[in-house]
Amino acid sequence: MNVIDVFDCCYRAEGNFGGVKRRAVKVKLTADSDAGEISYTASVSFFPYRDPEDFVISGDAYFEKELYRAKGRRSRKREKGFLAELQTVCDGLAEEAGGKIFWDSPLYSPRLG
């Protein structure tokens, strides 16, 4: 199994999960390939972010959506399309869970893999 973070970035956010106020979210687009099959998943993980050193991701506020699964391998063209819709997909995941992502407030520069 080969897991690659195609996109990874943390943003300011708001939400309340498990009785804990969350002020940030980790947004990821992940490619997972194994035995000739590829899948792409968008995910959001809300965390408290109490200070600039607090990047402890909690598992109780994690939400994901599989975007694609098929025989094949990584495709830059396909990834470009998923990146174009990532904000919309992640906004939907956040809204469904009762959170909000502030896309104009990244906590670090996006990492592309």
Side-chain angles (χ1 to χ4, degrees):
M1 188 176 298
N2 192 13
V3 178
I4 299 159
D5 290 335
V6 177
F7 177 88
D8 172 355
C9 193
C10 288
Y11 297 89
R12 291 213 179 270
E14 62 183 29
N16 195 322
F17 303 94
V20 178
K21 185 175 179 176
R22 312 302 166 100
R23 299 178 345 147
V25 64
K26 183 176 196 79
V27 174
K28 289 173 67 171
L29 173 63
T30 306
D32 187 354
S33 64
D34 188 31
E37 186 171 280
I38 184 81
S39 67
Y40 288 90
T41 304
S43 65
V44 295
S45 183
F46 290 86
F47 60 101
Y49 193 68
R50 295 178 181 99
D51 63 61
E53 299 297 316
D54 182 14
F55 282 91
V56 177
I57 306 300
S58 43
D60 66 336
Y62 174 83
F63 309 94
E64 69 178 16
K65 179 178 182 179
E66 186 172 78
L67 304 176
Y68 179 85
R69 177 178 295 276
K71 293 281 184 198
R73 56 186 177 175
R74 273 184 86 182
S75 161
R76 297 287 180 197
K77 182 178 178 182
R78 189 178 303 125
E79 289 176 4
K80 188 176 179 181
F82 293 141
L83 285 170
E85 67 182 56
L86 187 63
Q87 240 180 316
T88 303
V89 171
C90 290
D91 277 340
L93 288 170
E95 186 177 321
E96 211 172 279
K100 179 166 177 55
I101 301 169
F102 300 105
W103 296 100
D104 58 347
S105 298
L107 300 177
Y108 56 75
S109 296
R111 300 175 185 151
L112 301 172

